[in-house]
Amino acid sequence: MRARIALMATTLLLAGCTEAPPTTAVPDKPVEIQKSQAKAPEKCDARASFRPTGALPAPGRMPAGSYMAEIQKSGRLILGTSQDSPLFSSRDPFTGRVVGFDIDMGKLIAKAIFGDENKLQIKVIPHGDRTKQFDDEGDKVDLVINTMTANCARWAEVDFSTTYLEAGQRLLVAKGSKVDGLDDLAGEKVCAAVGSTSLANIAKAGPEAVARNGWGECLVAFQQNEVAAISTDDTILAGLAKQDPFAQVVGLPFTEEPYAVAISKEHPDFTRFVNAVLEQSRRDGSWKDTYVKWLSLLGPAPQPPAARYR
Ligand code: GLU
C-alpha cells in the first residue's frame, strides 16, 4: 500500500513537471549547514520590516519612478516559488496551475498593482536558491513567496516584508510510530528540502539530515522508506500528511518560522508597498479568507500576525 501511494505521489510530481521544472540537481550527502548562517549578524529583529509610506496608490496608477511603476509597465508581477509545497504553492494536477496560500498572497499584491489578480506570473525556482532570484537581470523575479522564513542570515541577502504567517518546525513519521521528536531519531535519516532552515535544524538535533529538492520529493523518499521521517514547518507537514493516510505529524513545534515575502534589497519602495498590501489584507479580512481557504486543517483562523517595523 505504501508503495502504491509512493507511485501516486511520484506521478503527481511528474505531472507537475510539465512547465518550468526546477533545475537544482539532487544534492549528494553530506548535507551542510547553510553557509550564510555562519555570517549571520549576531542579532537582528528578523520580523521587523520597512514601514509603508502613506496610503496605497490606486491600482493601475503606480507612482512614477517607483519599482511598482516598472512592474505595472511590464504587465505582470513575477512571483518565484515552488510547485510542490502542498497548501502553499503546488501544482493542481487537474488544471496544471500552481495554487495555494502563497500564490494567493501574490494575487493580493498583483491586484494592488494592476487591479487584476491574474496578472501574476509564476516562476518555479530551485528551493535552495530562494535568496538568489534577484541577481540575474535577465531572468529575475519581483518577489519570492515560498514558505520562506525571515531570518537574520537571509536578511543579509534580501529584504523581507512583515510576517504574513507564523509556523514552527515539527516532525512527520509513520502512523503508529512511538517517535515524537528528533531526539528519538538519532542515527536515522530525516528528510528536508535543500536550502531550508529545517535541514540545518535536523542536522543540529542528531539525525542524519537528507536533502531533497522539495517537499514532494521528501514525501516520496518517506513513502519508499528511504528516510524514517520528514521534519519541517507544521504548515507544510499538514499538507504532506493530508496526502498520506499512513503518516502523522507528531511532537510540539520546536522553532519559530515567521514567513515573509522576499524582495531585492534594491527596491525598498516595493517592500514598503507590499507591507501596505499586507496591512490592508489584515484589516479587510482577505488574509483571514485566504487562511480559511487553504489552512483550515490547522484549526480555526488565528489573528493575522501583527506587523512590526524597524
Ligand atoms: N520555512 C522554512 C524555510 O524557509 C522551511 C520551509 C521551506 O523551506 O519551504 O527554510
Side-chain angles (χ1 to χ4, degrees), residues 127 130 147-149 154 196-198 215 232-233 236 259:
H127 206 77
R130 284 175 291 179
T147 58
M148 191 169 174
T149 298
R154 290 172 177 167
S196 65
T197 52
S198 324
W215 300 112
T232 184
D233 304 341
I236 297 169
Y259 290 178

Side-chain angles (χ1 to χ4, degrees), residues 13-307:
L13 275 175
L14 290 177
C17 281
T18 48
E19 239 178 71
T23 48
T24 345
V26 175
D28 281 333
K29 287 168 288 204
V31 167
E32 285 177 53
I33 309 280
Q34 289 172 42
K35 251 204 200 128
S36 54
Q37 294 201 345
K39 60 175 191 210
E42 289 227 324
K43 266 207 165 115
C44 86
D45 183 354
R47 285 183 172 78
S49 182
F50 313 137
R51 194 174 287 280
T53 36
L56 276 170
R61 315 191 69 154
M62 295 300 109
S66 67
Y67 187 63
M68 294 77 80
E70 271 181 51
I71 297 172
Q72 190 190 319
K73 199 163 155 235
S74 78
R76 72 244 191 280
L77 174 70
I78 306 179
L79 163 64
T81 193
S82 59
Q83 61 178 353
D84 69 340
S85 301
L87 306 179
F88 286 87
S89 54
S90 68
R91 206 174 280 275
D92 178 329
F94 299 105
T95 64
R97 287 179 179 276
V98 181
V99 294
F101 188 96
D102 282 350
I103 304 302
D104 283 0
M105 288 289 122
K107 285 184 175 177
L108 290 178
I109 298 161
K111 194 164 180 207
I113 297 173
F114 300 102
D116 178 356
E117 64 173 31
N118 294 316
K119 294 210 163 156
L120 182 72
Q121 182 179 321
I122 311 290
K123 182 177 175 206
V124 176
I125 56 171
H127 206 77
D129 285 343
R130 284 175 291 179
T131 57
K132 306 272 183 282
Q133 297 306 311
F134 308 101
D135 303 345
D136 178 1
E137 267 303 307
D139 201 20
K140 65 179 175 55
V141 302
D142 297 312
L143 35 70
V144 172
I145 312 182
N146 193 192
T147 58
M148 191 169 174
T149 298
N151 61 27
C152 297
R154 290 172 177 167
W155 263 103
E157 297 179 78
V158 295
D159 285 342
F160 282 106
S161 70
T162 55
T163 306
Y164 68 83
L165 193 69
E166 294 281 357
Q169 188 165 344
R170 292 181 70 192
L171 189 62
L172 178 138
V173 294
K175 248 185 201 158
S177 156
K178 294 204 165 59
V179 167
D180 73 353
L182 283 176
D183 296 355
D184 300 330
L185 288 167
E188 302 269 6
K189 291 180 174 155
V190 178
C191 194
V194 62
S196 65
T197 52
S198 324
L199 197 60
N201 293 331
I202 295 166
K204 262 187 254 159
E208 182 184 340
V210 172
R212 289 288 186 268
N213 280 326
W215 300 112
E217 289 191 20
C218 272
L219 186 60
V220 173
F222 173 71
Q223 291 171 331
Q224 292 178 334
N225 290 323
E226 286 167 21
V227 297
I230 303 172
S231 182
T232 184
D233 304 341
D234 47 0
T235 43
I236 297 169
L237 292 181
L240 297 178
K242 196 173 157 220
Q243 291 181 20
D244 185 344
F246 299 101
Q248 60 179 351
V249 181
V250 295
L252 293 171
F254 56 91
T255 64
E256 289 184 8
E257 310 289 337
Y259 290 178
V261 179
I263 293 167
S264 164
K265 285 196 168 294
E266 284 177 21
H267 306 304
D269 58 338
F270 187 40
T271 303
R272 290 181 201 279
F273 177 87
V274 167
N275 285 338
V277 175
L278 292 176
E279 284 277 10
Q280 182 173 275
S281 77
R282 294 179 186 107
R283 269 199 316 268
D284 70 8
S286 47
W287 184 92
K288 188 172 176 209
D289 292 348
T290 311
Y291 190 101
V292 170
K293 179 174 168 194
W294 294 106
L295 302 178
S296 281
L297 78 175
L298 293 168
Q303 285 301 314

